[in-house]
Amino acid sequence: MINFAIVGMGHIAKKHIEAIENAEGANLYAICDTNPDRLEIDLPGVKKYTDLVLMLDENPDIHVVNICVPSGLHAKLTKIAAERKRHVIVEKPMSLKLEDAEEMIKVTKEHGVKLAVVHPNRFRPAIQKLKKQMDKGAFGKLSHANATVRWNRNQAYYDQADWRGTKEFDGGVLMNQAIHNLDLMLWLMGPVESVQAMAATRLRKIETEDVAAAVVQFKNGALGVIEAATTIYPKNLEESIAIFGETGSVKISGRTANYIETWDIEGVTEEEAEKTKAEIKEDPFGKPGHQWIIEDMVSAVKENREPIVAGEDGLAPVKLILAILESAETGKKVVIQ
């Protein structure tokens, strides 16, 4: 069994607990939070700590640390775990700063441990089908892509904790909500060469943006349009990813981009397209993405390979978002190195 420890017992930790409990070959060994009240959870046999260093030093049997603390603390805790030869799974975004993300990749490699970033939307059934079509070139020459997140995060959401909506610990709609969608766009379309963007804080009393729009050019020459907002009234409206090429048009949408809305690909009959849509509608969520990430880390450790969503994968959307914010601030096109 591969033993996991979770640090940061906020909302997202529940998904990690469930994923570890359901993942083959995984065992929840310990949890950690600086707030002892958050440790008051019924987990028989699981050790509980308020100090990460103490937890790791006292328990050499911990193999993997799942970092679920506010984003601004990810780099610091990754370093602590890596220096103690523990593999790391870190929640999105892997970091709010480019230099921190690069340091996380560097320190885990230096200490010979694995780094995985939680981008679970890649494992949605509809997205998996789209990726297979992209990989075999079914769209021909790519025209453009569209990534849209139209969600609601009201003021009460941001007021839950002092760190929410801050530049130092949380980030705005791009880092916190749209990053999964942007990860999908990059995974499907490839790296971005340049971006022109605008962002604003329109409705929420936070330090960061609550709405943003950007146009990107991919290194393959295709274009992309990004729209992200937490200002939608009164609830989440949609998350979608759409790809357009000379021989294909596909749009995956719904409130959380789980359903196939358009599936027009050269060589695929209307009957086959409708069958594909029906298959996805029957099971739009599949195995939970966090469980995929946990099971992949178990395999990566046993097989001594890189995780499917490794540090470099987590770095890509962070780099894109920082370029979008730079462009929005300067009013200029930003070239991504």
Side-chain angles (χ1 to χ4, degrees):
M1 298 290 283
I2 300 299
N3 292 323
F4 288 77
I6 300 172
V7 55
M9 294 303 295
H11 171 74
I12 200 64
K14 297 173 185 176
K15 287 192 175 184
H16 286 254
I17 292 171
E18 184 177 346
I20 293 167
E21 289 178 341
N22 292 326
E24 186 175 347
N27 173 58
L28 181 57
Y29 192 94
I31 59 174
C32 178
D33 198 293
T34 55
N35 182 351
D37 292 341
R38 287 187 168 180
L39 299 175
E40 296 300 319
I41 180 171
D42 185 24
L43 292 170
V46 175
K47 297 184 179 183
K48 300 175 180 180
Y49 286 84
T50 56
D51 186 279
L52 174 60
V53 173
L54 182 64
M55 179 181 74
L56 295 179
D57 288 350
E58 287 190 354
N59 297 280
D61 289 339
I62 293 174
H63 303 112
V64 183
V65 176
N66 291 29
I67 297 176
C68 302
V69 298
S71 304
L73 298 172
H74 288 176
K76 177 183 177 181
L77 300 195
T78 295
K79 184 177 181 182
I80 289 173
E83 288 176 343
R84 286 159 180 79
K85 305 295 183 182
R86 281 5 186 259
H87 306 292
V88 174
I89 294 177
V90 64
E91 266 294 337
K92 61 77 189 170
M94 66 181 294
S95 176
L96 299 175
K97 298 178 181 178
L98 185 60
E99 58 268 28
D100 284 347
E102 291 173 339
E103 179 62 23
M104 291 165 71
I105 294 171
K106 180 182 176 184
V107 73
T108 50
K109 287 184 177 179
E110 283 179 349
H111 292 280
V113 296
K114 304 183 189 309
L115 174 62
V117 184
V118 180
H119 281 296
N121 296 9
R122 294 187 182 195
F123 302 98
R124 291 172 175 173
I127 297 297
Q128 286 284 310
K129 284 187 177 292
L130 175 53
K131 176 63 172 173
K132 288 179 181 177
Q133 294 294 327
M134 296 291 293
D135 286 347
K136 69 180 187 180
F139 288 75
K141 187 176 182 179
L142 294 170
S143 165
H144 65 290
N146 184 284
T148 301
V149 177
R150 295 170 176 161
W151 283 354
N152 172 276
R153 294 293 184 272
N154 59 23
Q155 193 61 44
Y157 166 84
Y158 292 105
D159 291 343
Q160 290 178 79
D162 291 342
W163 59 270
R164 288 192 181 275
T166 63
K167 292 182 179 180
E168 184 177 2
F169 294 111
D170 191 27
V173 61
L174 291 166
M175 281 289 192
N176 207 355
Q177 282 79 35
I179 191 168
H180 284 313
N181 198 263
L182 298 182
D183 170 68
L184 294 182
M185 187 179 73
L186 292 168
W187 191 47
L188 295 166
M189 295 291 291
V192 168
E193 182 173 286
S194 64
V195 58
Q196 183 87 47
M198 299 184 77
T201 308
R202 294 291 298 161
L203 303 183
R204 311 301 176 222
K205 295 178 182 178
I206 56 177
E207 293 179 359
T208 52
E209 83 288 345
D210 59 13
V211 60
V215 177
V216 303
Q217 182 168 35
F218 296 94
K219 290 192 175 179
N220 60 23
L223 301 182
V225 178
I226 296 165
E227 177 193 341
T230 52
T231 57
I232 306 305
Y233 177 85
K235 58 188 177 182
N236 289 1
L237 178 63
E238 76 167 299
E239 175 192 7
S240 64
I241 184 82
I243 308 292
F244 303 98
E246 61 180 338
T247 54
S249 296
V250 168
K251 182 180 180 182
I252 296 174
S253 61
R255 287 190 181 177
T256 53
N258 288 96
Y259 299 90
I260 296 175
E261 181 177 327
T262 301
W263 193 263
D264 294 325
I265 300 171
E266 188 177 77
V268 176
T269 66
E270 186 174 340
E271 183 181 357
E272 290 170 333
E274 290 303 315
K275 182 180 178 182
T276 298
K277 290 181 184 180
E279 287 175 0
I280 295 301
K281 192 172 183 179
E282 193 172 307
D283 183 20
F285 299 98
K287 184 195 298 184
H290 281 74
Q291 187 176 335
W292 276 105
I293 297 288
I294 297 296
E295 290 180 347
D296 177 64
M297 178 59 87
V298 170
S299 298
V301 171
K302 291 181 177 180
E303 298 167 10
N304 192 25
R305 61 163 173 82
E306 281 291 289
I308 290 177
V309 189
E312 288 79 1
D313 298 292
L315 174 64
V318 170
K319 188 179 289 188
L320 172 58
I321 289 168
L322 291 174
I324 291 172
L325 294 174
E326 180 184 345
S327 176
E329 184 176 348
T330 63
K332 299 177 180 178
K333 182 171 75 172
V334 174
V335 176
I336 300 177
Q337 303 298 325

